[in-house]
Amino acid sequence: MTRKRLLMGNWKMYKTVAETRRFVEDLQGLTQKTPLPAQVETVICPPFTAIGELVRWVNASSQPIGVGAQNVHFAAQGAFTGEISADMLADLGVKYVLVGHSERRTLFGESDEWVQQKAAAVAAQGMQPVICVGENQDERDAQRTLDVVEHQTLTALNGLAASSRGADVVGTAVIAYEPVWAIGSGRTPAPEEAQAVIGAIRQCVARACGAAAADRIRILYGGSVKPENIASFTLQPDIDGALVGGASLQADSFLAMAQAMAGGDA
Ligand SMILES: O=C[C@H](O)COP(=O)(O)O
């Protein structure tokens, strides 16, 4: 099966509504000359406060960009001060939701079980969960990378596989392999090393959820991706795209990465 390549920007806690507007104006200007390549799906995950602005612009401009969210609570509603539910995000027009980003796991104590419940809540609202997995430096040094990412992946997918549409739902999910030591550090694994881990994740999805789901699920690489190195990762056979933090904040580098993933031809 051919999996459409996916470029996803995670803005983390950057950009006000006014700054989001500036980004879209910049991108609008740039894409008059160089359109976003049709063969790459592009998504931006802004802070919650800018989601409405981005959705309005995408709808008004017909730019081929999806809007994602960076986090969600797994409960449908309730006394959870400060939290946002999956149906609130779906109601805004969100298509993808990151779950289990390493910053959520390490800074906010999110467990594998929470990530599982979040992924299930996202899928239940018809959105696509982007399940983030990755080893930290100590785990890498102890050669535990595959154990860690396989455990994180399987725990998260269990919640999806258990739903009534099981393998179908797994196939439409996205996994983002982000070595924690590579995030924001300027360091990356060799593309072949990222390919080996992502290939192993795909095999583990095949064992747990079947070959069709493994063939369909998109698996991204993330961690210090920029226009200069993105193609070296996305040209690998099992790497279907990239989850990008810092380099997604400027319209010119976002467009350059989409172009690089498309092989330069829009
Ligand atoms: O979600 C994105 C990742 O944490 C990667 O961030 P980065 O591209 O700034 O290294």
Side-chain angles (χ1 to χ4, degrees), residues 33-70:
K33 190 162 160 246
T34 315
L36 283 161
Q39 60 271 50
V40 177
E41 184 179 356
T42 50
V43 174
I44 289 173
C45 306
F48 286 133
T49 47
I51 287 175
E53 175 70 14
L54 206 50
V55 169
R56 268 189 295 283
W57 170 73
V58 167
N59 291 341
S61 69
S62 344
Q63 287 280 359
I65 291 194
V67 179
Q70 301 173 20

Coordinates of all heavy atoms in Angstrom, one line a residue, residues 33-70:
K33 N 3.7 31.6 -5.0 CA 4.8 31.3 -5.9 C 5.1 29.8 -5.9 O 5.2 29.1 -6.9 CB 6.0 32.0 -5.5 CG 7.1 32.0 -6.5 CD 8.1 33.1 -6.3 CE 9.4 32.7 -7.0 NZ 10.5 32.5 -6.1
T34 N 5.1 29.2 -4.7 CA 5.5 27.8 -4.6 C 4.4 27.1 -3.7 O 4.4 27.2 -2.5 CB 6.8 27.6 -3.8 OG1 7.7 28.6 -4.4 CG2 7.4 26.2 -3.9
P35 N 3.4 26.5 -4.4 CA 2.3 25.9 -3.6 C 2.8 24.7 -2.7 O 3.9 24.1 -3.0 CB 1.3 25.4 -4.6 CG 1.8 25.8 -5.9 CD 3.3 26.3 -5.8
L36 N 2.1 24.4 -1.7 CA 2.3 23.2 -0.9 C 2.2 22.0 -1.8 O 1.2 22.0 -2.6 CB 1.4 23.1 0.3 CG 1.7 24.1 1.5 CD1 0.4 24.3 2.3 CD2 2.8 23.5 2.3
P37 N 3.1 21.1 -1.8 CA 3.0 20.0 -2.7 C 1.8 19.0 -2.4 O 1.6 18.7 -1.2 CB 4.4 19.2 -2.5 CG 4.9 19.7 -1.2 CD 4.3 21.0 -0.9
A38 N 1.1 18.7 -3.4 CA -0.1 17.9 -3.2 C 0.2 16.5 -2.7 O -0.6 15.9 -2.0 CB -0.9 17.8 -4.5
Q39 N 1.4 16.0 -3.0 CA 1.7 14.6 -2.6 C 2.1 14.5 -1.1 O 2.4 13.4 -0.6 CB 2.8 14.0 -3.5 CG 4.1 14.7 -3.5 CD 4.2 15.8 -4.6 OE1 3.3 16.7 -4.7 NE2 5.2 15.8 -5.4
V40 N 2.2 15.6 -0.4 CA 2.5 15.6 1.0 C 1.3 16.1 1.8 O 0.9 17.2 1.5 CB 3.8 16.4 1.3 CG1 4.1 16.4 2.8 CG2 5.0 15.9 0.6
E41 N 0.9 15.4 2.8 CA -0.2 16.0 3.7 C 0.5 16.8 4.8 O 1.5 16.4 5.4 CB -0.9 14.8 4.3 CG -2.1 15.3 5.2 CD -2.9 14.1 5.8 OE1 -2.6 12.9 5.5 OE2 -3.8 14.4 6.6
T42 N 0.0 18.0 5.0 CA 0.6 18.9 6.0 C -0.4 19.2 7.1 O -1.6 19.4 6.8 CB 1.1 20.2 5.3 OG1 0.0 20.8 4.5 CG2 2.2 20.0 4.4
V43 N 0.1 19.2 8.3 CA -0.7 19.5 9.5 C 0.1 20.4 10.4 O 1.3 20.2 10.6 CB -1.0 18.1 10.2 CG1 -1.8 18.4 11.5 CG2 -1.9 17.2 9.3
I44 N -0.6 21.3 11.1 CA 0.0 22.1 12.1 C -0.8 21.9 13.4 O -2.0 22.0 13.4 CB 0.0 23.6 11.7 CG1 1.0 23.8 10.6 CG2 0.4 24.5 12.9 CD1 1.1 25.1 10.0
C45 N 0.0 21.7 14.5 CA -0.7 21.6 15.8 C -0.3 22.8 16.6 O 0.8 22.8 17.2 CB -0.2 20.3 16.5 SG -0.4 18.8 15.6
P46 N -1.1 23.8 16.6 CA -0.8 25.0 17.4 C -1.2 24.9 18.9 O -1.9 23.8 19.2 CB -1.7 26.1 16.7 CG -2.9 25.3 16.3 CD -2.4 23.9 16.0
P47 N -1.0 25.8 19.7 CA -1.5 25.8 21.1 C -3.1 25.8 21.0 O -3.6 26.3 20.0 CB -1.0 27.1 21.8 CG 0.1 27.5 20.9 CD -0.1 27.0 19.5
F48 N -3.7 25.3 22.0 CA -5.2 25.3 22.0 C -5.8 26.6 21.6 O -6.8 26.7 20.9 CB -5.8 24.9 23.4 CG -5.6 23.5 23.8 CD1 -5.1 23.2 25.0 CD2 -6.0 22.5 22.9 CE1 -5.0 21.8 25.4 CE2 -5.8 21.1 23.3 CZ -5.3 20.8 24.6
T49 N -5.2 27.7 22.1 CA -5.8 29.1 21.9 C -5.8 29.5 20.5 O -6.5 30.4 20.1 CB -5.0 30.1 22.8 OG1 -3.6 29.9 22.6 CG2 -5.3 29.9 24.3
A50 N -4.9 28.9 19.7 CA -4.8 29.4 18.2 C -5.5 28.4 17.3 O -5.5 28.6 16.1 CB -3.4 29.5 17.9
I51 N -6.1 27.3 17.8 CA -6.7 26.3 16.9 C -7.8 27.0 16.1 O -7.9 26.8 14.9 CB -7.3 25.1 17.7 CG1 -6.1 24.3 18.2 CG2 -8.2 24.3 16.9 CD1 -6.5 23.1 19.1
G52 N -8.7 27.7 16.8 CA -9.9 28.3 16.1 C -9.4 29.2 14.9 O -9.9 29.2 13.8
E53 N -8.4 30.0 15.2 CA -7.8 31.0 14.2 C -7.3 30.2 12.9 O -7.6 30.5 11.8 CB -6.7 31.8 14.8 CG -6.0 32.7 13.8 CD -6.8 33.9 13.4 OE1 -7.9 34.1 14.0 OE2 -6.5 34.6 12.4
L54 N -6.6 29.1 13.2 CA -6.0 28.3 12.1 C -7.1 27.6 11.3 O -7.0 27.6 10.1 CB -5.0 27.3 12.8 CG -3.9 26.8 11.9 CD1 -3.1 28.0 11.2 CD2 -2.9 26.0 12.7
V55 N -8.0 27.1 12.0 CA -9.1 26.4 11.3 C -9.9 27.4 10.4 O -10.2 27.1 9.2 CB -10.1 25.7 12.3 CG1 -11.4 25.3 11.5 CG2 -9.5 24.6 13.0
R56 N -10.1 28.6 10.9 CA -10.8 29.6 10.1 C -10.0 30.0 8.9 O -10.6 30.0 7.8 CB -11.1 30.9 10.9 CG -12.4 30.9 11.7 CD -12.7 32.3 12.3 NE -11.7 32.6 13.4 CZ -11.8 32.1 14.6 NH1 -12.7 31.2 14.9 NH2 -10.9 32.5 15.5
W57 N -8.7 30.1 9.0 CA -7.9 30.5 7.9 C -7.8 29.3 6.9 O -8.0 29.5 5.7 CB -6.5 30.8 8.3 CG -5.5 30.9 7.2 CD1 -5.5 32.0 6.3 CD2 -4.5 30.0 6.8 NE1 -4.5 31.7 5.3 CE2 -3.9 30.5 5.6 CE3 -4.1 28.8 7.3 CZ2 -2.9 29.9 5.0 CZ3 -3.1 28.1 6.6 CH2 -2.5 28.7 5.5
V58 N -7.7 28.1 7.3 CA -7.6 27.0 6.4 C -8.9 26.9 5.6 O -8.9 26.7 4.4 CB -7.4 25.6 7.2 CG1 -7.7 24.4 6.3 CG2 -6.0 25.6 7.8
N59 N -10.1 27.1 6.3 CA -11.3 27.0 5.6 C -11.5 28.1 4.6 O -12.0 27.9 3.5 CB -12.5 27.0 6.6 CG -12.6 25.8 7.4 OD1 -12.0 24.7 7.0 ND2 -13.2 25.8 8.6
A60 N -11.0 29.3 5.0 CA -11.2 30.5 4.1 C -10.2 30.4 2.9 O -10.5 30.9 1.8 CB -11.0 31.8 4.9
S61 N -9.1 29.8 3.1 CA -8.0 29.9 2.1 C -8.0 28.7 1.2 O -7.2 28.7 0.2 CB -6.7 30.1 2.8 OG -6.3 28.9 3.4
S62 N -8.6 27.6 1.6 CA -8.5 26.3 0.9 C -7.1 25.8 0.8 O -6.8 25.1 -0.1 CB -9.2 26.3 -0.5 OG -10.0 27.3 -0.7
Q63 N -6.2 26.3 1.7 CA -4.9 25.7 1.7 C -5.0 24.3 2.2 O -5.8 24.0 3.1 CB -4.0 26.5 2.7 CG -3.6 27.8 2.1 CD -2.4 27.8 1.1 OE1 -1.9 26.7 0.8 NE2 -2.0 28.9 0.6
P64 N -4.2 23.3 1.6 CA -4.3 21.9 2.0 C -3.6 21.6 3.3 O -2.6 20.9 3.3 CB -3.7 21.2 0.8 CG -2.7 22.2 0.3 CD -3.2 23.5 0.5
I65 N -4.0 22.3 4.4 CA -3.4 22.0 5.7 C -4.4 21.6 6.7 O -5.5 22.1 6.7 CB -2.8 23.4 6.2 CG1 -1.6 23.8 5.3 CG2 -2.3 23.2 7.7 CD1 -0.7 24.8 5.9
G66 N -4.1 20.5 7.4 CA -5.0 20.1 8.5 C -4.5 20.7 9.8 O -3.4 21.2 10.0
V67 N -5.5 20.7 10.7 CA -5.2 21.3 12.0 C -5.2 20.2 13.1 O -6.1 19.4 13.1 CB -6.1 22.5 12.4 CG1 -5.8 23.0 13.8 CG2 -6.1 23.5 11.3
G68 N -4.2 20.2 13.9 CA -4.1 19.2 15.0 C -4.0 19.9 16.4 O -3.9 21.1 16.5
A69 N -4.1 19.0 17.4 CA -4.0 19.5 18.8 C -2.8 18.8 19.4 O -2.4 17.7 19.0 CB -5.3 19.3 19.6
Q70 N -2.3 19.4 20.5 CA -1.1 18.8 21.1 C -1.4 17.9 22.3 O -0.5 17.2 22.8 CB -0.2 19.9 21.6 CG 0.3 20.9 20.5 CD 1.0 22.1 21.1 OE1 1.5 22.0 22.2 NE2 1.1 23.1 20.3

